[in-house]
Amino acid sequence: MANDKHTTVLRLDPLHPDEPALQRAAAVLHLNGLVAFPTETVYGLGAIATLPAAVERIFAAKGRPPHNPLIVHVPDVSRARALVGAWPPAAQRLADACWPGPLTLVLPRGRQIPDIVTGGGPTVAVRVPAHPVALALLRAVDAPLAAPSANRSSHISPTQAAHVLADLDGSIEMLLDAGATPGGIESTVVDLAVMPPRLLRPGLVTPERLREVLPNLDLGAVSHAAADTADANDGKRPPRSPGHIGRHYAPRARVECCCDDAAMRAIALFTAGLRCACLLCGAQSAARLAALPGIKCVSLPAEMHVYAAQLYATLRELDAAGPDVIVVELPPDTEAWLAVRDRLLRAAQE
Ligand code: TXA
Ligand code: MG
């Protein structure tokens, strides 16, 4: 993108971030600036949540529809409680079990949260991230940070500083580069403003872990998301989790998900004359493709957390080779893989 504005990049030690650098970032934020920073999931694009003019700039930089609400990040439970209108026992149990960590709670909004953060809705999403840089930044700025993933709307979320710059260089003031984010996919979003509580977006906290704390959790994430898509398309009602509809997390190339033999599918497309890349799960079928120099192929380990950590960087790497199609071997249809499969299936939506 042609842009003569400049994004300042500060390199930070991920475990021991430099205090003067954090103070610079805090000053930028207090002047309505935008600062991208690492969390334990993906890079976020932060603005002070109580400054509507700053939050508005997030939507402009991302090209994000204004009805899609933002997650508010805070450094501890007491600050989360200060932002919401109700703190039910389930919220306390989940916070005790999972914070700091990749879990976002949707609760009735408190009065100091501006409309622009919630998309005008009655709830606010809050989370305490587990990354030392995110926590140190939240303490330095001493204000809640609204932060979506730091990518252009509907692109792949960034897990490295270079990914943030590829989408947003010149349209944000500052980027705190602390290397790759360890989790690799986004937080789990749970709606506690409905009864029974509902999973809105599967993420790094697995259904199994959630159910240990909330046995009555409604896990219909995939079917609800599909219903949200249909309703939003009809314009019938605002979707429950507006950011989680339609094609999302998508590379430039078309993505095709296969339940059975992805390698065979890639070979068929390749022989039909398409430029093809292939993402496999586990090592078994990789050897068959290694023999075909025309197909760029990556195989990720069949362990969910390891796979998730590398997924977005791998999709970007495959996309950069310029294929017409990325053929993806879907991981097993089990609850542990729910979030990864969700992201892959969304990337494949037309
Ligand atoms: O891991 C993450 O959650 C990352 C890091 C930066 O924290 N953030 C992130 O934000 O993924 P974003 O904006 O890309 O996705 C937030 C999701 C969207 O699907 C949005 O619609 C949903 O959370 N959301 C936010 N506020 C909500 C609310 N009040 N009610 C329902 N859904 C909400
Ligand atoms: Mg996002």
Side-chain angles (χ1 to χ4, degrees), residues 39-41 74-77 94-104 127-132 134-135 138-139 187 205 209:
T39 78
E40 80 282 29
T41 61
V74 287
D76 53 51
V77 176
L94 284 171
D96 287 342
C98 301
W99 281 356
L103 177 69
T104 295
R127 96 174 181 98
V128 178
H131 198 293
L135 288 171
L138 287 164
R139 295 207 173 94
S187 64
V205 176
R209 179 79 186 108

Side-chain angles (χ1 to χ4, degrees), residues 120-189:
T123 58
V124 63
V126 289
R127 96 174 181 98
V128 178
H131 198 293
V133 172
L135 288 171
L137 177 65
L138 287 164
R139 295 207 173 94
V141 75
D142 196 23
L145 291 181
S149 50
N151 51 280
R152 293 275 303 166
S153 195
S154 90
H155 285 194
I156 304 173
S157 295
T159 57
Q160 298 171 17
H163 303 162
V164 178
L165 291 177
D167 272 20
L168 298 174
D169 193 13
S171 32
I172 64 177
E173 278 70 31
M174 188 176 276
L175 162 62
L176 302 182
D177 174 1
T181 56
I185 61 171
E186 302 80 358
S187 64
T188 304
V189 182

